[in-house]
Structures are given as structure tokens and as C-alpha cells.
Amino acid sequence: MRKIFVFAFSFLAATYAAATAASAADSTLTPVSFTLNWMPTADHAGYFAAKAMHVYERYGLDVTITPGGPQLNVYQLLAAGQTDMIMGTTMRTLNARLHGIPIVTVASWYQKDATTFMLHPENKAQSLAELNHNPMYIPGISRGNYWPWLKAKFGYSDEQLKPFDSGYRAWSLDPAAVAQGYITIDHPTMVGVGVPNGRSLVLADFGWTQYINTVETTETLISEKPDVLRNFLKATAEGWRIYLADPKATNEELIRLNPQLDMPTLVEGYKTIKDNKLLDGGDAADGKIGVISEKRMSAFVDEMITAGAIAPSPDYAKSYTLKFLNAL
């Protein structure tokens, strides 16, 4: 399925951007742009629910959502001022701050990282510690993300690394191999490459605490348009609640905008989000989805410095803000 997304990216990106831009007819609305990290899936459903149900308009916003994809570096777009906000991750934002780029996390819809390691049924490992000798097919960007942490905590070595294949063919042919996945689409991916009985280990279940599915913006937008940002977060939180209550209409909209999706995949994605409490677990268990924790952020930074994943820097304290949490 992910390979199909890669091939279809250019067409769908153009089609979707045109469709979302064309919906803005009221000149009294404030325009704002948001760029996803990938093509539309269940993991982006809150934005699409808010768009389809005209929630953004009720908050005075004309929101243009642009899909991401394998060829798109959303952090570069944000740094260059080509989008107002992006969907990101803690580690990528910390690395941006380390290089002097003033990007800030203002919310995190997922309370646990949905990144997984996909295993063949022959692999009986029950923890990450048991995989420190297996061949590992992970993307290059992850080698500066969770890989140093795995080496420091579980004794992984660079000799395990294999070139990542987004089509998962190499992984599918080696029962000992492990590949990076994403919990909401792992099962359809495994079925698609002929490993229907494979299973996944979620890195977050073994101590990996970065935020993912975050809202990232710039210090400039925070200082110049705080009300726009606050209204965007309010509306998107409402969109997520609409989706959690009943995903049917949002799923239909996702398929309309991205015909490479199908309803069974989206239904399974919704169930996985619910079962794993990606949105409403952890600090969001009291109902305030999108929340970020200063304690968790600080502890994660300290652990990544200790693991050698990032160099010490005072700028990390500026990589997030809690000032918009009252909008959630």
C-alpha cells in the first residue's frame, strides 16, 4: 500500500490541494495552511473531519491542507515560510532547534508514537531487547531518530541495518528480518506483501516517549497570529472528537480525496487508534486531546542527550510551548 502512495503522490497532491483550496469562498475567513507528513490516512482524520464538517469556518478560518509524501521535507517548507504549520515529531523539531531553526511544537494529537517494528510470525520476540541481532530495515531518517536510543538502551548495533524498502519486499522474504512500520496500517501492509500473520511491536510500549502527530509552527506565527493558531487547534480538536464519535463521514471524505484508500483499511485504522488509545491515552485521558507535557518533553530531551542522539543545547527549551493548551 505504501508503494502505491509513492507512485500516486504527485497526482493526489495536486488534486487534493486544488480541492481544499477551491472550498474557500468566504473572503472574511483568515487563510491558514497546514501540511501533512504523508498522504491522507486515518492518522490525519481530525483535520479532514474539521474541514468536511466546516468546523474551521465556524472558527473564522480558511484552512488549506496539503498532503505530504516521500519526496517532501515538511520541515524545510515550514522553515522557508511556505506553510504556516506542519505535522511533525519531537525528534525532528529538536534537530531543527539544534540547527537554529525556530520551529515550535504547540500540540500533539497522538499521546504515544505509533511507530512499530513489524515481525514475521516465526519471530517470537516479545520485546525490543530480543531484536538486537535481527536484520533491521528502517528509513535513513530513523537512524538519527530512535536508533541511537535503541543502541544505548538495548545494545543494537549498526551491523544490523539494512537499506529500507518502502515496498517491504526484502522484509517479506526474510523471516528473521524486522522492518519499521506504523501501527494503524501495519496489518494491511503485511497482507499486501504476503505476510498476513505478521505482528507488530510498538516502540512506545518499551519506553520510546517522543510525541508524534504533532502540530509544529514558527515563533513568528506564535507571536504575530496567536488567535489564528488557537482557533486552528480548537477546531482540529473538535474534528478529532467528531471522528472518534463516528468515523463514517470522515472516512468517506478521505476516500474521496485519496482514492488509493479503501474503507476496510480506514475502519481498521480507526479501531487501532481507539484500541491503542493513541489520541485519548496518557496525559489526554481526562479528555483534553492534543496536550503536551513539560515533564515528558524535558525527560525525553535528557534521555536523547544521554543516548547520544542529540547534542546538548539550551534551545531545546524553546522547542515547545504550553501556552495554547487551553484551546484543547
Coordinates of all heavy atoms in Angstrom, one line a residue, residues 226-289:
P226 N -1.4 34.6 17.2 CA -1.8 33.6 18.3 C -3.2 33.2 18.2 O -3.6 32.0 18.5 CB -1.4 34.3 19.6 CG -1.5 35.8 19.3 CD -1.0 35.9 17.8
D227 N -4.1 34.1 17.9 CA -5.6 33.8 17.8 C -5.9 32.8 16.7 O -6.7 31.9 16.8 CB -6.4 35.0 17.7 CG -6.4 35.9 19.0 OD1 -6.1 35.3 20.0 OD2 -6.7 37.1 18.9
V228 N -5.2 33.0 15.6 CA -5.4 32.1 14.4 C -4.9 30.7 14.8 O -5.6 29.7 14.6 CB -4.5 32.6 13.2 CG1 -4.5 31.5 12.1 CG2 -5.2 33.8 12.7
L229 N -3.8 30.6 15.5 CA -3.3 29.3 15.9 C -4.2 28.7 17.0 O -4.5 27.5 16.9 CB -1.9 29.5 16.5 CG -1.1 28.2 17.0 CD1 -1.1 27.2 15.9 CD2 0.3 28.6 17.4
R230 N -4.7 29.5 17.9 CA -5.5 28.9 18.9 C -6.9 28.4 18.3 O -7.3 27.3 18.7 CB -5.8 30.0 19.9 CG -6.6 29.6 21.2 CD -6.7 30.7 22.2 NE -5.4 30.7 22.9 CZ -4.6 31.7 22.8 NH1 -4.8 32.7 21.9 NH2 -3.4 31.8 23.5
N231 N -7.4 29.1 17.4 CA -8.6 28.7 16.7 C -8.4 27.5 15.9 O -9.3 26.6 15.8 CB -9.2 29.8 15.9 CG -9.9 30.9 16.7 OD1 -10.3 30.7 17.8 ND2 -10.0 32.1 16.1
F232 N -7.3 27.4 15.2 CA -6.9 26.2 14.5 C -6.9 24.9 15.4 O -7.4 23.9 15.0 CB -5.6 26.3 13.8 CG -5.2 25.1 13.0 CD1 -5.7 24.9 11.7 CD2 -4.3 24.2 13.6 CE1 -5.3 23.7 11.0 CE2 -3.9 23.1 12.9 CZ -4.4 22.8 11.6
L233 N -6.3 25.1 16.5 CA -6.2 24.0 17.5 C -7.6 23.6 18.0 O -7.9 22.4 18.1 CB -5.2 24.3 18.6 CG -3.8 24.4 18.2 CD1 -2.9 24.9 19.4 CD2 -3.2 23.1 17.6
K234 N -8.4 24.6 18.4 CA -9.7 24.3 18.9 C -10.5 23.6 17.8 O -11.2 22.6 18.1 CB -10.4 25.6 19.2 CG -10.0 26.3 20.5 CD -10.8 27.6 20.7 CE -10.4 28.3 22.0 NZ -11.2 29.5 22.2
A235 N -10.5 24.0 16.6 CA -11.3 23.4 15.5 C -10.8 22.0 15.2 O -11.6 21.1 15.0 CB -11.2 24.3 14.3
T236 N -9.5 21.8 15.2 CA -8.9 20.5 14.9 C -9.3 19.5 16.0 O -9.6 18.3 15.8 CB -7.4 20.5 14.7 OG1 -7.1 21.5 13.7 CG2 -6.9 19.2 14.2
A237 N -9.2 20.0 17.3 CA -9.6 19.1 18.4 C -11.0 18.7 18.3 O -11.4 17.5 18.5 CB -9.3 19.8 19.7
E238 N -11.9 19.6 17.9 CA -13.3 19.3 17.7 C -13.4 18.3 16.5 O -14.2 17.4 16.6 CB -14.1 20.6 17.3 CG -15.6 20.4 17.3 CD -16.3 21.7 17.2 OE1 -15.9 22.7 17.8 OE2 -17.4 21.7 16.5
G239 N -12.6 18.4 15.5 CA -12.6 17.5 14.4 C -12.3 16.1 14.8 O -12.9 15.1 14.4
W240 N -11.2 16.0 15.7 CA -10.9 14.7 16.2 C -12.0 14.0 17.0 O -12.2 12.8 17.0 CB -9.6 14.8 17.0 CG -8.3 14.7 16.3 CD1 -7.4 15.8 16.1 CD2 -7.8 13.7 15.5 NE1 -6.4 15.4 15.3 CE2 -6.6 14.1 14.9 CE3 -8.3 12.4 15.2 CZ2 -5.8 13.3 14.1 CZ3 -7.5 11.6 14.4 CH2 -6.3 12.0 13.8
R241 N -12.7 14.9 17.8 CA -13.8 14.3 18.6 C -14.9 13.9 17.7 O -15.6 12.9 18.0 CB -14.2 15.4 19.6 CG -13.2 15.7 20.7 CD -13.7 16.6 21.8 NE -12.6 16.8 22.8 CZ -11.8 17.8 22.8 NH1 -11.9 18.8 21.9 NH2 -10.9 17.9 23.8
I242 N -15.2 14.6 16.6 CA -16.2 14.1 15.7 C -15.8 12.8 15.1 O -16.7 11.9 15.0 CB -16.3 15.2 14.5 CG1 -17.0 16.5 15.1 CG2 -17.2 14.6 13.4 CD1 -17.0 17.6 14.1
Y243 N -14.6 12.6 14.7 CA -14.1 11.4 14.2 C -14.2 10.2 15.2 O -14.6 9.1 14.9 CB -12.7 11.6 13.7 CG -12.0 10.3 13.3 CD1 -12.3 9.6 12.1 CD2 -11.0 9.7 14.1 CE1 -11.6 8.5 11.7 CE2 -10.3 8.6 13.7 CZ -10.6 7.9 12.6 OH -10.0 6.8 12.2
L244 N -13.8 10.5 16.4 CA -13.8 9.4 17.4 C -15.3 9.0 17.7 O -15.5 7.8 17.9 CB -13.2 9.9 18.7 CG -11.7 10.0 18.8 CD1 -11.2 10.7 20.1 CD2 -11.0 8.7 18.5
A245 N -16.2 9.9 17.7 CA -17.6 9.6 17.9 C -18.2 8.8 16.8 O -19.0 7.8 17.1 CB -18.4 10.9 18.2
D246 N -17.9 9.1 15.6 CA -18.4 8.4 14.4 C -17.5 8.7 13.2 O -17.6 9.8 12.6 CB -19.8 8.8 14.1 CG -20.5 8.1 13.0 OD1 -19.8 7.2 12.4 OD2 -21.7 8.3 12.7
P247 N -16.7 7.7 12.8 CA -15.7 7.9 11.7 C -16.3 7.8 10.3 O -15.6 8.2 9.3 CB -14.7 6.8 11.9 CG -15.5 5.7 12.5 CD -16.6 6.3 13.3
K248 N -17.5 7.4 10.1 CA -18.0 7.1 8.8 C -17.9 8.2 7.8 O -17.4 8.1 6.7 CB -19.5 6.6 8.9 CG -20.1 6.1 7.6 CD -21.5 5.6 7.7 CE -22.0 5.0 6.4 NZ -22.2 6.0 5.4
A249 N -18.4 9.4 8.1 CA -18.4 10.5 7.2 C -17.0 11.0 6.9 O -16.6 11.3 5.7 CB -19.2 11.7 7.7
T250 N -16.1 11.0 7.9 CA -14.7 11.3 7.7 C -14.0 10.3 6.8 O -13.3 10.7 5.9 CB -14.0 11.5 9.0 OG1 -14.7 12.4 9.8 CG2 -12.6 12.0 8.8
N251 N -14.3 9.0 7.0 CA -13.7 8.0 6.2 C -14.1 8.1 4.7 O -13.3 8.0 3.8 CB -14.0 6.6 6.7 CG -13.3 6.3 7.9 OD1 -12.3 6.9 8.3 ND2 -13.8 5.2 8.6
E252 N -15.4 8.5 4.5 CA -15.8 8.7 3.1 C -15.1 9.8 2.5 O -14.8 9.8 1.3 CB -17.4 8.9 3.1 CG -18.1 7.6 3.5 CD -19.6 7.8 3.7 OE1 -20.0 9.0 3.7 OE2 -20.4 6.8 3.8
E253 N -14.9 10.9 3.2 CA -14.2 12.1 2.7 C -12.7 11.7 2.4 O -12.2 12.2 1.4 CB -14.3 13.2 3.7 CG -13.5 14.5 3.3 CD -14.2 15.2 2.1 OE1 -15.3 14.7 1.6 OE2 -13.7 16.2 1.7
L254 N -12.1 10.9 3.2 CA -10.7 10.5 3.0 C -10.6 9.7 1.7 O -9.7 9.9 0.9 CB -10.2 9.7 4.2 CG -9.8 10.4 5.4 CD1 -9.7 9.5 6.6 CD2 -8.6 11.3 5.2
I255 N -11.6 8.8 1.5 CA -11.5 8.1 0.2 C -11.8 8.9 -1.0 O -11.2 8.8 -2.1 CB -12.6 6.9 0.3 CG1 -12.1 5.9 1.3 CG2 -12.8 6.3 -1.1 CD1 -13.1 4.8 1.6
R256 N -12.7 9.9 -0.8 CA -12.9 10.8 -1.9 C -11.7 11.6 -2.3 O -11.4 11.8 -3.5 CB -14.0 11.8 -1.6 CG -14.4 12.8 -2.7 CD -15.5 13.8 -2.3 NE -14.9 14.8 -1.4 CZ -14.2 15.9 -1.9 NH1 -14.1 16.0 -3.2 NH2 -13.8 16.8 -1.1
L257 N -10.9 12.0 -1.3 CA -9.7 12.8 -1.6 C -8.5 11.9 -1.9 O -7.6 12.4 -2.6 CB -9.4 13.7 -0.4 CG -10.4 14.7 0.0 CD1 -10.2 15.3 1.3 CD2 -10.4 15.8 -1.1
N258 N -8.5 10.7 -1.5 CA -7.4 9.8 -1.7 C -7.9 8.4 -2.1 O -8.1 7.6 -1.3 CB -6.5 9.7 -0.5 CG -5.3 8.8 -0.8 OD1 -5.1 8.3 -1.9 ND2 -4.5 8.6 0.3
P259 N -8.2 8.2 -3.4 CA -8.8 7.0 -3.9 C -8.0 5.8 -3.7 O -8.4 4.6 -3.9 CB -9.0 7.3 -5.4 CG -9.0 8.7 -5.6 CD -8.1 9.2 -4.5
Q260 N -6.7 6.0 -3.3 CA -5.8 4.8 -3.0 C -6.2 4.1 -1.7 O -5.8 3.0 -1.4 CB -4.4 5.2 -3.0 CG -3.9 5.9 -4.3 CD -4.1 5.0 -5.5 OE1 -3.9 3.8 -5.4 NE2 -4.5 5.6 -6.6
L261 N -7.0 4.8 -0.9 CA -7.5 4.2 0.4 C -8.7 3.4 0.1 O -9.4 3.5 -1.0 CB -7.9 5.4 1.3 CG -6.7 6.1 2.0 CD1 -7.3 7.3 2.7 CD2 -5.9 5.3 2.8
D262 N -9.1 2.5 1.0 CA -10.3 1.8 0.9 C -11.0 1.7 2.3 O -10.3 2.0 3.3 CB -10.1 0.4 0.4 CG -9.1 -0.5 1.2 OD1 -9.4 -0.6 2.4 OD2 -8.1 -0.9 0.6
M263 N -12.2 1.5 2.4 CA -12.9 1.5 3.6 C -12.4 0.5 4.7 O -12.3 0.9 5.8 CB -14.5 1.4 3.4 CG -15.3 1.7 4.6 SD -15.0 3.4 5.3 CE -15.9 4.4 4.0
P264 N -12.2 -0.7 4.3 CA -11.6 -1.7 5.3 C -10.4 -1.2 6.0 O -10.2 -1.4 7.2 CB -11.4 -3.0 4.5 CG -12.4 -2.9 3.4 CD -12.4 -1.4 3.0
T265 N -9.5 -0.6 5.2 CA -8.2 -0.1 5.8 C -8.5 1.0 6.8 O -7.9 1.1 7.8 CB -7.3 0.4 4.7 OG1 -6.9 -0.7 3.8 CG2 -6.0 1.0 5.2
L266 N -9.4 1.9 6.4 CA -9.8 3.1 7.3 C -10.5 2.6 8.5 O -10.2 3.1 9.6 CB -10.6 4.1 6.5 CG -9.8 4.9 5.5 CD1 -10.8 5.7 4.6 CD2 -8.8 5.8 6.1
V267 N -11.4 1.6 8.4 CA -12.1 1.1 9.6 C -11.1 0.4 10.5 O -11.1 0.6 11.7 CB -13.1 0.1 9.1 CG1 -13.7 -0.7 10.3 CG2 -14.3 0.8 8.4
E268 N -10.1 -0.3 9.9 CA -9.1 -1.0 10.8 C -8.2 0.1 11.4 O -7.8 0.0 12.6 CB -8.3 -1.9 9.9 CG -7.3 -2.7 10.8 CD -6.6 -3.9 10.0 OE1 -7.1 -4.2 8.8 OE2 -5.7 -4.5 10.5
G269 N -7.9 1.2 10.7 CA -7.1 2.2 11.3 C -7.8 2.9 12.4 O -7.2 3.2 13.5
Y270 N -9.1 3.2 12.3 CA -9.9 3.8 13.4 C -9.9 2.9 14.6 O -9.6 3.3 15.7 CB -11.3 4.0 12.9 CG -12.3 4.4 14.0 CD1 -12.3 5.7 14.4 CD2 -13.2 3.5 14.5 CE1 -13.2 6.1 15.4 CE2 -14.1 3.8 15.5 CZ -14.1 5.1 15.9 OH -15.0 5.5 16.9
K271 N -10.1 1.6 14.4 CA -10.1 0.6 15.5 C -8.7 0.6 16.2 O -8.6 0.6 17.5 CB -10.5 -0.8 15.0 CG -10.6 -1.8 16.1 CD -11.0 -3.1 15.6 CE -11.3 -4.1 16.7 NZ -10.1 -4.4 17.6
T272 N -7.7 0.7 15.4 CA -6.3 0.6 16.0 C -6.1 1.9 16.8 O -5.5 1.8 17.9 CB -5.3 0.5 14.9 OG1 -5.5 -0.7 14.1 CG2 -3.9 0.4 15.5
I273 N -6.5 3.0 16.3 CA -6.3 4.3 17.1 C -7.1 4.2 18.4 O -6.5 4.6 19.5 CB -6.9 5.5 16.2 CG1 -5.9 5.8 15.1 CG2 -7.0 6.7 17.1 CD1 -6.5 6.7 14.0
K274 N -8.3 3.7 18.4 CA -9.1 3.5 19.6 C -8.5 2.5 20.6 O -8.3 2.8 21.8 CB -10.5 3.1 19.2 CG -11.3 4.1 18.4 CD -12.0 5.1 19.3 CE -13.2 4.6 20.0 NZ -13.9 5.6 20.8
D275 N -8.1 1.3 20.0 CA -7.6 0.2 20.9 C -6.3 0.6 21.6 O -6.0 0.2 22.7 CB -7.4 -1.0 20.1 CG -8.8 -1.7 19.7 OD1 -9.8 -1.2 20.2 OD2 -8.7 -2.6 18.8
N276 N -5.5 1.4 20.8 CA -4.2 1.8 21.4 C -4.2 3.1 22.1 O -3.1 3.5 22.6 CB -3.1 1.8 20.3 CG -2.7 0.4 19.8 OD1 -1.7 -0.2 20.3 ND2 -3.4 -0.1 18.8
K277 N -5.4 3.7 22.2 CA -5.5 5.0 22.9 C -4.5 6.0 22.4 O -3.9 6.7 23.2 CB -5.5 4.8 24.4 CG -6.7 4.0 25.0 CD -6.7 4.1 26.5 CE -8.0 3.5 27.0 NZ -9.2 4.2 26.6
L278 N -4.3 6.1 21.1 CA -3.3 7.0 20.6 C -3.7 8.4 20.8 O -2.9 9.3 21.1 CB -3.1 6.8 19.1 CG -2.6 5.4 18.6 CD1 -2.5 5.4 17.1 CD2 -1.3 5.1 19.3
L279 N -5.0 8.7 20.8 CA -5.5 10.1 20.9 C -5.8 10.4 22.4 O -5.6 11.5 22.9 CB -6.7 10.3 20.1 CG -6.5 10.5 18.6 CD1 -7.8 10.3 17.8 CD2 -6.0 11.9 18.3
D280 N -6.4 9.5 23.1 CA -7.0 9.8 24.4 C -6.4 9.0 25.5 O -7.0 8.8 26.6 CB -8.5 9.5 24.4 CG -8.9 8.1 23.9 OD1 -8.0 7.4 23.5 OD2 -10.1 7.9 23.8
G281 N -5.1 8.5 25.4 CA -4.4 7.9 26.4 C -3.5 8.9 27.1 O -3.4 10.0 26.8
G282 N -2.7 8.3 28.1 CA -1.7 9.1 28.8 C -2.2 10.4 29.3 O -3.3 10.4 30.0
D283 N -1.6 11.5 29.1 CA -2.0 12.8 29.6 C -3.3 13.3 29.1 O -3.9 14.3 29.6 CB -0.9 13.9 29.4 CG 0.4 13.6 30.1 OD1 0.3 13.1 31.3 OD2 1.5 13.8 29.6
A284 N -3.8 12.7 28.0 CA -5.1 13.1 27.4 C -6.2 12.3 27.9 O -7.4 12.5 27.4 CB -5.0 13.0 25.9
A285 N -6.0 11.4 28.9 CA -7.0 10.5 29.4 C -8.2 11.3 30.0 O -9.3 10.8 30.2 CB -6.4 9.5 30.4
D286 N -7.9 12.5 30.5 CA -9.0 13.3 31.1 C -9.9 14.1 30.1 O -10.8 14.8 30.4 CB -8.4 14.3 32.1 CG -7.5 15.4 31.4 OD1 -7.3 15.3 30.2 OD2 -7.1 16.3 32.1
G287 N -9.6 13.8 28.8 CA -10.4 14.4 27.7 C -9.8 15.5 26.9 O -10.3 16.0 25.9
K288 N -8.7 16.0 27.4 CA -8.0 17.1 26.7 C -7.0 16.6 25.6 O -5.8 16.5 25.9 CB -7.3 18.1 27.7 CG -6.7 19.3 27.0 CD -6.1 20.3 28.0 CE -7.2 21.1 28.6 NZ -6.7 22.3 29.3
I289 N -7.6 16.2 24.5 CA -6.7 15.6 23.5 C -5.8 16.7 22.9 O -6.2 17.9 22.8 CB -7.5 14.9 22.4 CG1 -8.4 15.9 21.6 CG2 -8.3 13.7 22.9 CD1 -9.1 15.3 20.4

